[in-house]
Amino acid sequence: MGFARTCSVALVGVEGVVVEVQADLEAGVAAFTLVGLPDKSLSESRDRVRAAIVNSQAEWPQKKLTVGLSPASVPKGGSGFDLAVAAAVLGAAERIDPRSIADLVLIGELGLDGRVRPVRGVLPAVLAAADAGYRQVVVPEQTAGEAALVPGVSVLGVRSLRQLIAVLSDEPLPDEQPLEAGRPDPMLAGLLVPGAGVGTGLSADPAEGPDLADVAGQHTARRALEIAAAGGHHLLLSGPPGAGKTMLAERLPGILPPLTRHESLEVTAVHSVAGILPPGEPLVHRPPYCAPHHSATMQSLVGGGNGLPRPGAVSLAHRGVLFLDEAPEFSTKSLDALRQPLESGHVVVARAAGVVRLPARFLLALAANPCPCGRHTLHGAGCECPASLIRRYQARISGPLLDRVDLRIEVEPVTRSDLLGQGGRGEPSRTVADRVREARARAAARLDGTPWTVNSEVPGHELRTRYVTEPGALAAAERDIERGLLTARGLDRVLRVAWTVADLAGHARPGAEDLALALELRTGIARGVPVGAGERP
């Protein structure tokens, strides 16, 4: 009779639960029983583990074998438990010392030939192990760099089960056949899941990606884009087709500052679980950009799928930009599902298999035409859409969702002089990004010691009591509240935008001009403030 135990990690969304893998051998008819609420892919590990052990020149125990996964109440799935199950079996059979694996966390899939294949979600799994107090993990060699991002954890990357047995038994390492230079590594296939990312991608470096200098004219929209990036404010671009709405939104990630270390770990964990983390890039440094098609379902936006919910577009855009082009063409249910994550910065998805909390703090950018044909606001363009159809089309973006959008910009058609370059070339993304970075630094210094990092996260109560404006600056906003142009939430968002305008201009606190520009960008009513307002002498 033999017994051994080791550990692995079960992922629930992007959060991990340490699972104890126990193996027990006793006299009886040779059989392999796996218990502990495994799913189909985990149940199949019995055949993978048996073949991998035999092909690694280790003897398979001809006894009654029971492998238990505790806690049994937590659903477990995926092939990442293979390595832990194999180690526990070898420990129970005394092929390796059971004490050498008792405090190890092992994550990896086994091929039938004994090779260790990489799996998704290594970073959040190692983070969960570190939080539980474990300091030694074993992962596939290809994901060792990802696991090494977690501080205070010793990482061993292995290529095969034979190599792991040799390390644990203090035996000479076997000769592993290296991959020929120039050949693609088939082991990386498990890290990328085709179709797992809904129109998502990691934004390129500003020097390589789309540049704001390519945008002709659109001075008001460019100013709004800069304010949105500096304060993390949500943005609606409305205008006729061809005015440059999509072009502007695609350049928004290029003026956002690079992610901090903590933000990079959050984004990398989500992308690792979703299976869209690029191989060879264990840490994401740039804000992600996610632009799903307007036919996307509500589940693909907020998260869902069979069994435990998987990250949706709002989570794939965490700490980055979620761009919804042709926003009125999205279903009303899908758009309204964004209201809760816009407020809380996370989404809670409840399914029969369990409840998952996924991060979803993103910058929302919407683009919309004024009517189905797009020519409603153009003079002499021949729009034939009935007034009732125009109202229904514009009402697809509900009032409660619009109330959460800080900046609402009418994008006018590009003039001939701007299009031909006669109006002068606009500023490049790098110049605007420098101003955004300086504004965020001012906001971070002011918010030091608080749970918030950007102006869009500051609660309204704090804006009215702790971070007050200059005397008399709120007069115009108070009149708008009395006229019904602003709600209580709208006033809070105007104050947040005013603080961002003040940070960009280098003001100690918002004045009347800063508030006037914030009101104009939200309500669309001209306040007699130039686009560059806030630059006081």
Side-chain angles (χ1 to χ4, degrees):
M1 181 183 296
F3 176 83
R5 56 173 291 276
T6 188
C7 295
S8 191
V9 179
L11 288 177
V12 182
V14 294
E15 298 177 354
V17 179
V18 175
V19 173
E20 187 178 62
V21 181
Q22 302 173 337
D24 177 72
L25 283 174
E26 56 183 300
V29 178
F32 188 174
T33 305
L34 183 64
V35 297
L37 212 58
D39 70 349
K40 178 66 174 177
S41 60
L42 181 51
S43 297
E44 292 175 349
S45 70
R46 294 176 297 184
D47 299 317
R48 292 194 299 270
V49 168
R50 180 187 290 109
I53 289 179
V54 172
N55 290 325
S56 298
Q57 285 77 53
E59 184 179 352
W60 179 260
Q62 297 300 320
K63 295 182 180 180
K64 182 180 180 181
L65 171 63
T66 303
V67 174
L69 309 175
S70 299
S73 59
V74 176
K76 305 168 192 70
S79 56
F81 290 88
D82 289 2
L83 196 59
V85 171
V89 171
L90 292 171
E94 297 183 352
R95 174 62 181 85
I96 59 177
D97 188 354
R99 294 172 296 181
S100 64
I101 60 173
D103 295 323
L104 276 183
V105 175
L106 299 103
I107 304 165
E109 176 186 334
L110 285 175
L112 300 184
D113 56 356
R115 289 185 298 172
V116 180
R117 304 180 66 92
V119 294
R120 291 174 283 122
V122 167
L123 178 59
V126 177
L127 283 170
D131 291 341
Y134 291 88
R135 293 293 173 261
Q136 292 182 315
V137 297
V138 178
V139 297
E141 187 178 56
Q142 294 87 344
T143 57
E146 184 181 342
L149 296 173
V150 182
V153 175
S154 175
V155 178
L156 172 62
V158 294
R159 190 177 301 175
S160 66
L161 182 60
R162 286 199 308 158
Q163 187 179 15
L164 176 63
I165 295 173
V167 170
L168 295 177
S169 304
D170 292 328
E171 299 173 357
L173 293 179
D175 293 330
E176 299 288 349
Q177 191 70 22
L179 188 69
E180 294 182 13
R183 287 188 56 188
D185 190 353
M187 306 291 282
L188 297 176
L191 293 179
L192 295 177
V193 180
V198 187
T200 188
L202 301 179
S203 59
D205 188 89
E208 304 173 359
D211 199 303
L212 266 177
D214 302 331
V215 180
Q218 305 299 357
H219 304 293
T220 302
R222 290 169 61 99
R223 174 67 169 169
L225 218 66
E226 181 178 342
I227 294 172
H233 305 291
H234 307 305
L235 176 73
L236 169 63
L237 300 171
S238 178
K245 303 185 297 294
T246 303
M247 195 174 185
L248 284 162
E250 288 175 344
R251 282 148 179 80
L252 181 54
I255 62 176
L256 290 174
L259 300 175
T260 64
R261 173 75 178 186
H262 178 70
E263 292 171 344
S264 293
L265 289 175
E266 289 181 350
V267 174
T268 303
V270 174
H271 283 67
S272 177
V273 169
I276 57 175
L277 188 65
E281 297 182 17
L283 188 64
V284 178
H285 297 282
R286 299 295 308 171
Y289 174 76
C290 189
H293 190 260
H294 61 256
S295 62
T297 63
M298 184 174 67
Q299 289 76 15
S300 67
L301 283 179
V302 300
N306 296 327
L308 286 174
R310 297 180 57 79
V314 296
S315 297
L316 299 178
H318 180 60
R319 301 295 182 184
V321 177
L322 175 64
F323 175 48
L324 303 185
D325 201 2
E326 306 293 346
E329 300 295 339
F330 284 79
S331 71
T332 303
K333 288 179 61 177
S334 298
L335 290 176
D336 286 340
L338 301 176
R339 287 152 55 178
Q340 185 253 343
L342 284 177
E343 287 290 329
S344 62
H346 64 266
V347 59
V348 179
V349 185
R351 296 290 186 269
V355 179
V356 173
R357 184 181 185 272
L358 299 168
R361 189 168 297 281
F362 54 89
L363 195 162
L364 176 65
L366 303 170
N369 293 328
C371 67
C373 76
R375 300 190 297 268
H376 175 60
T377 57
L378 297 177
H379 299 293
C383 174
E384 299 179 354
C385 300
S388 58
L389 179 61
I390 295 174
R391 286 195 301 270
R392 287 198 302 270
Y393 184 80
Q394 295 178 351
R396 292 181 181 178
I397 305 178
S398 65
L401 178 60
L402 273 179
D403 204 30
R404 291 166 168 83
V405 177
D406 305 342
L407 310 172
R408 307 172 191 176
I409 310 302
E410 290 291 336
V411 183
E412 300 294 337
V414 183
T415 63
R416 182 183 64 180
S417 61
D418 287 331
L419 191 59
L420 298 178
Q422 298 171 2
R425 181 179 171 88
E427 290 180 311
S429 293
R430 187 172 297 277
T431 302
V432 179
D434 290 340
R435 289 201 300 268
V436 168
R437 193 158 42 246
E438 292 173 2
R440 286 215 177 188
R442 293 188 186 100
R446 182 176 62 252
L447 300 174
D448 187 34
T450 70
W452 320 297
T453 55
V454 292
N455 293 323
S456 62
E457 300 174 358
V458 183
H461 173 73
E462 298 288 335
L463 291 169
R464 293 188 294 271
T465 57
R466 185 174 175 182
Y467 304 106
V468 295
T469 62
E470 289 186 352
L474 284 173
E478 292 170 355
R479 288 194 298 269
D480 282 2
I481 291 178
E482 293 175 355
R483 295 161 58 190
L485 295 176
L486 273 184
T487 62
R489 181 191 287 117
L491 175 61
D492 293 343
R493 294 187 174 274
V494 166
L495 289 173
R496 294 170 181 170
V497 174
W499 270 106
T500 301
V501 174
D503 287 335
L504 284 168
H507 300 160
R509 53 179 176 164
E513 290 181 350
D514 302 320
L515 263 297
L517 180 56
L519 283 169
E520 182 174 333
L521 292 175
R522 180 174 179 83
T523 63
I525 301 174
R527 311 280 170 161
V529 182
V531 172
E535 300 174 0
R536 303 179 211 154

